[in-house]
Amino acid sequence: MNRPPRVATVITRLEGGAGAMALRGALALDPREFDVTVITGSGGRLLRDAADAGLACVLEPALRAPIAPADDVRALLRLTGLLRRGSFDVVHTHCAKAGALGRAAAVRVGARRIVHSYHGFPFHEFQRAPRRRAYLAVERALGRVTDVALCVGTAVAVEAVRRGLIAPDRVRTTGVAVPPVPVDPSRARRELGLPAGVPVVGAVGRLAYQKAPEDWVAALAALHRPDVTGVWIGDGERAARVRAAAARLGVRVLLAGDRADAPALVPAFDVFVQPSRYEGLPLAVVEAMSAGVPVVATAVNAIGDVVVPGVTGLLVPPARPDLLAAAVSRLLADRELAAGLAAAARQRVLGAHTSAALAADLAAAYRGEPVTGAATGAAGFGAPVEPPHHLRDLR
């Protein structure tokens, strides 16, 4: 082949953590080795970033997240046409809807290689059983036409194998790509308009059902700390609901919206909270750990790859804002504990989640070579860490 292989990166929405990961992966690849085109149903800032970086982008509005049979059939037909006209050698899909329609279209055009990234799963414990079974059946059928599944996090890969979504020998584990950013809490607070001494409990992500922002508001209320300000960086369909809940519960909340500089703003937080109902390996958690901010997260999917309970952060069950509040309260009250967890977390993730490592994993998947898991770090998810002082006597 005289030209580099043509890769179609197909994602429903080029936004949020999955959108950032898809874009960072596409930009990290050497354009002399892979000719990448992003195909997405929607996208705001990240789509503009992709175009500004010179990446070929195609907007296909029929590709939408909600199940809508007429739109889905239209999207399948249009994706089929796009892939056929583009003569793509590799089709790499992300997330549930694009994963289903994109892989079906790839089969229709006879793509040489089909790759799918599981950033998480469309099925979860908060669904009704019939819907969960239907999603599982669809994913298993799609797994039979998928050459390799890139699972973002160990627990995601384990779940894919346990559920029989794809043959075990085609499951690979990868990580996230987190570029280094300056850690300047004072500047971050000024950018957000926050006074220097105010305790801040923050989160980053889409204001969507998956992320459970209402549980974050409920946890803020359960702190019974009127001096605490909650900051959420990100936008989404639940913004109005979150504002209403905050007003009803009497908590101080700043919804900062979608920000390109979100990683540089995270150091403004005293505690980072990830309240999700379900997840893969959230990019925002790794970014908070890299910034040295103590983390409280829900114990779902691959979060435990990086947030080791009592060592690099604290974990609580999902949908338990009372326990979320208790964990946050502990870190706000014990700054020595919070600093120890944050230092161990930073040590664990620094240098283990790079764009170069992600590019190596993608290139191997596209070529049909073994994926080394380079993006997860040379020793699992980062090097072994020295536990915080409060745990050393337990060794």
Side-chain angles (χ1 to χ4, degrees), residues 15-22 46 119 176 205-206 211 282-284:
E15 57 187 44
M21 278 301 303
L46 291 181
H119 298 269
V176 296
R206 290 185 62 250
K211 305 294 183 179
L283 183 62

Side-chain angles (χ1 to χ4, degrees), residues 360-380:
D361 285 351
L362 293 178
Y366 297 167
R367 294 182 183 127
E369 300 168 354
V371 174
T372 62
T376 65

Side-chain angles (χ1 to χ4, degrees), residues 170-270:
R170 286 184 269 153
V171 174
R172 304 289 184 269
T173 304
T174 186
V176 296
V178 178
V181 296
V183 178
D184 189 340
S186 298
R187 181 177 180 180
R189 286 191 172 227
R190 287 196 302 272
E191 289 288 332
L192 289 167
L194 298 169
V198 172
V200 177
V201 176
V204 177
R206 290 185 62 250
L207 287 164
Y209 175 82
Q210 174 191 350
K211 305 294 183 179
E214 297 95 334
D215 288 349
W216 171 74
V217 175
L220 291 172
L223 289 174
H224 302 294
R225 291 275 305 263
D227 59 324
V228 169
T229 294
V231 176
W232 189 293
I233 301 173
D235 208 350
E237 61 271 17
R238 295 209 163 203
R241 187 177 302 193
V242 170
R243 288 191 185 93
R248 185 177 67 254
L249 295 172
V251 296
R252 187 184 307 164
V253 164
L254 168 63
L255 299 186
D258 184 31
R259 295 283 298 257
D261 58 347
L265 297 177
V266 168
F269 304 165
D270 292 287

Side-chain angles (χ1 to χ4, degrees), residues 44-336:
R45 172 178 54 82
L46 291 181
L47 189 59
R48 292 190 296 273
D49 290 347
D52 290 345
L55 200 61
C57 300
V58 177
L59 187 64
E60 178 42 69
L63 183 57
R64 301 170 59 243
I67 295 174
D71 280 340
D72 294 343
V73 170
R74 188 180 308 113
L76 175 61
L77 294 175
R78 292 183 65 84
L79 284 173
T80 301
L82 283 169
L83 297 182
R84 181 173 288 119
R85 289 192 299 275
S87 300
F88 291 100
D89 306 287
V90 179
V91 176
H92 181 183
T93 59
H94 296 259
C95 304
K97 177 61 76 68
L101 298 180
R103 281 182 282 179
V107 170
R108 288 164 63 93
V109 302
R112 290 196 303 111
R113 193 150 183 85
I114 300 175
V115 177
H116 179 65
S117 281
Y118 282 115
H119 298 269
F121 299 107
F123 51 85
H124 52 82
E125 63 183 294
F126 298 97
Q127 289 170 326
R128 294 183 181 275
R131 171 169 285 199
R132 188 162 58 248
R133 286 194 296 268
Y135 279 138
L136 281 166
V138 169
E139 288 297 332
R140 287 168 182 151
L142 291 167
R144 291 194 285 271
V145 301
T146 305
D147 294 293
V148 62
L150 295 175
C151 299
V152 183
T154 305
V156 175
V158 169
E159 187 77 353
V161 172
R162 189 175 74 86
R163 295 281 192 173
L165 304 187
I166 187 171
D169 62 334
R170 286 184 269 153
V171 174
R172 304 289 184 269
T173 304
T174 186
V176 296
V178 178
V181 296
V183 178
D184 189 340
S186 298
R187 181 177 180 180
R189 286 191 172 227
R190 287 196 302 272
E191 289 288 332
L192 289 167
L194 298 169
V198 172
V200 177
V201 176
V204 177
R206 290 185 62 250
L207 287 164
Y209 175 82
Q210 174 191 350
K211 305 294 183 179
E214 297 95 334
D215 288 349
W216 171 74
V217 175
L220 291 172
L223 289 174
H224 302 294
R225 291 275 305 263
D227 59 324
V228 169
T229 294
V231 176
W232 189 293
I233 301 173
D235 208 350
E237 61 271 17
R238 295 209 163 203
R241 187 177 302 193
V242 170
R243 288 191 185 93
R248 185 177 67 254
L249 295 172
V251 296
R252 187 184 307 164
V253 164
L254 168 63
L255 299 186
D258 184 31
R259 295 283 298 257
D261 58 347
L265 297 177
V266 168
F269 304 165
D270 292 287
V271 178
F272 178 93
V273 173
Q274 184 78 33
S276 302
R277 292 180 170 91
Y278 55 98
E279 275 292 353
L281 177 61
L283 183 62
V285 166
V286 180
E287 290 176 338
M289 295 171 73
S290 299
V293 179
V295 171
V296 176
T298 47
V300 294
N301 287 85
I303 288 180
D305 282 355
V306 290
V307 182
V308 181
V311 177
T312 63
L314 300 179
L315 293 179
V316 300
R320 289 294 305 270
D322 57 328
L323 296 181
L324 192 65
V328 170
S329 180
R330 185 181 178 197
L331 293 186
L332 290 175
D334 190 341
R335 293 308 179 98
E336 190 176 4

